[in-house]
Amino acid sequence: MENTNPLSKTHPCFDKEAKGKYARVHIPVAPKCNVQCGYCNRKYDCVNESRPGVTSSILTPQQSLQYIKAISQKIDNISTIGIAGPGDAFAEPEKTFEAIRLIKDEFPDKIFCLSSNGLNLLPYVDQIAELDVTHVTITINSFRLETLAKIYNWARFNKKMYRGIAAAELMLEQQTEALKALVAKNITVKINTVLIPGVNDTEIEEVAQIIGELGAATMNCIPLIPTEDTEFSDLEKPSSQLVRDSYRAVRKHIKPMTHCSRCRADAAGMLGNDNIDAYKLIEEYAAMPTAVDKTKPHVAVASYEGLMINKHLGEATDFLIYKQTETGYELVERRFAPAKGSGDLRWINLAKTLNDCSYILVNGVGAKPVDLLQKVGIAVLEMSGLIEDGLEAVYKGKKLKSVLKTTLGKCGSGCGGNAMGCG
Ligand code: SF4
Ligand code: SF4
């Protein structure tokens, strides 16, 4: 389908002319993935690597808004805000949509762009359209089950694990239906295909023909980057001849994207000329406390005397509960913690006791309670200093030297994959 979306003229990935004029910014808010591709091994904190899926830090949706405000001061001509991993934008769709909503409220004129493996995209096509996300990329590597079974080790969908041919069937069905549904909503779709020698290199024209018929606007062939500790690590990179031949085949059926820069999940700036200050900025914003959630307006503090944050979570028998008022902060009550010594149950009960709190401010905490509390949306901020300063940090997003670490939204160990398919 001809790309008739006028916005594409200012989208650096969808229009070659726009590449030299407009910048794009990725917000790394999607750390998890719901499939495992044979070419993928995500690594964090790897600023030297420049390929999709790699990012130095993960942002929460609120942090991503603050980051966009800051990066907009440094980069002119940002036309597009994209989510390209480092996992999949629909593995945790609520984070993706919250980030878009927050940013769209303040930057209504930007183009919003999403990239996905297509597994869990279909249920969200209506929401994507309602939010006026105009550009979506799906990675489709083949339309043949035996090939897909080689590429996808597993896929997790609706809490069920699929492997082998079952995973291949699922991916094929979901990707195809998602593409059709997006096109039906007039959303401009790019297809990324990872060119994998000996796996799908003879199927590129077939992919181009089918996606062209289904209404995709353009196709991007991404030559495999053999990556350590992946199933395809021993494969050769596609030769220049193979890449040229593939594009020739694509051109017969659909407009090829020939100016891909294989962007990182936290890339910012002009395609091919990333602003490296952005990585540092993202790190800063990732460490920043995020605003208190309006549905959980209180903050719990572990303190001996009610002035300093000086108690560890494990030793706190009670918490001071604060709320924000028009003139400052008010101590609402002293609330008792569940009894010690009952293992995980203690933290589960603590989460129930503090279910109206967005944050717990403590002077020290172990990994286990942080993980359990984070899962129910309670962030633990480890810091020293005055309670007043801690409250300023979480209610107003102020940066503090005394903050040791903040935990909400940090990527956990459950991630797997490197989003090589986006670009
Ligand atoms: S490339 Fe990595 S992050 Fe992307 S879909 Fe595959 S496994 Fe997930
Ligand atoms: S790299 Fe992908 S997600 Fe990022 S702006 Fe371009 S098309 Fe959109």
Side-chain angles (χ1 to χ4, degrees), residues 263-275:
C263 316
R264 292 164 49 112
D266 56 0
M270 310 292 271
L271 247 62
N273 187 17
D274 278 330
N275 182 315

Side-chain angles (χ1 to χ4, degrees), residues 11-14 24 26 80-84 113-115 137 190 192 263 271 422-423:
H11 190 313
C13 309
F14 282 73
R24 53 78 183 98
H26 282 169
T80 305
I81 294 170
I83 299 180
C113 185
L114 295 173
S115 175
T137 296
K190 169 161 72 71
N192 282 351
C263 316
L271 247 62
C422 180

Side-chain angles (χ1 to χ4, degrees), residues 28 112 114 123 157 167 194 200 219 236 249 267 269 274 278 295 309 314 332-333 351:
F112 286 80
L114 295 173
F157 186 60
V194 182
N200 69 347
M219 177 168 167
E236 294 288 311
D274 278 330
T295 63
I309 299 164
V332 179
E333 61 174 312

Side-chain angles (χ1 to χ4, degrees), residues 191-346:
I191 301 300
N192 282 351
T193 302
V194 182
L195 177 60
I196 312 167
V199 177
N200 69 347
D201 53 342
T202 57
E203 300 170 33
I204 299 301
E205 180 163 356
E206 180 178 88
V207 174
Q209 182 176 358
I210 298 173
I211 60 161
E213 285 165 6
L214 292 176
T218 182
M219 177 168 167
N220 179 19
C221 274
I222 305 179
L224 173 78
I225 305 173
T227 303
E228 245 178 74
D229 298 328
T230 65
E231 209 161 317
F232 296 155
S233 60
D234 293 336
L235 294 184
E236 294 288 311
K237 276 187 193 169
S239 65
S240 324
Q241 186 61 46
L242 178 57
V243 175
R244 273 198 302 276
D245 290 347
S246 301
Y247 271 110
R248 201 168 298 125
V250 168
R251 213 167 265 119
K252 291 186 207 163
H253 305 279
I254 187 167
K255 185 180 157 195
M257 176 192 180
T258 52
H259 59 289
C260 174
S261 300
R262 308 216 268 206
C263 316
R264 292 164 49 112
D266 56 0
M270 310 292 271
L271 247 62
N273 187 17
D274 278 330
N275 182 315
I276 48 170
D277 289 346
Y279 309 143
K280 195 147 178 22
L281 208 56
I282 288 182
E283 260 173 44
E284 275 176 34
Y285 280 89
M288 197 183 98
T290 55
V292 167
D293 180 346
K294 285 195 191 95
T295 63
K296 295 176 179 210
H298 295 143
V299 170
V301 179
S303 171
Y304 285 107
E305 76 298 305
L307 183 67
M308 310 292 287
I309 299 164
N310 50 14
K311 237 190 232 182
H312 284 222
L313 187 78
E315 62 186 3
T317 51
D318 56 38
F319 292 90
L320 303 176
I321 307 296
Y322 286 88
K323 73 172 182 186
Q324 191 176 29
T325 64
E326 282 183 10
T327 51
Y329 306 103
E330 184 185 313
L331 177 63
V332 179
E333 61 174 312
R334 180 180 286 268
R335 200 178 288 173
F336 287 101
K340 290 183 185 177
S342 44
D344 283 0
L345 193 61
R346 177 182 176 194

Side-chain angles (χ1 to χ4, degrees), residues 33 35-37 39-40 86-87 117 416-421:
C33 192
V35 312
Q36 180 61 60
C37 304
Y39 42 73
C40 185
N117 58 39
N418 85 342
M420 216 201 118

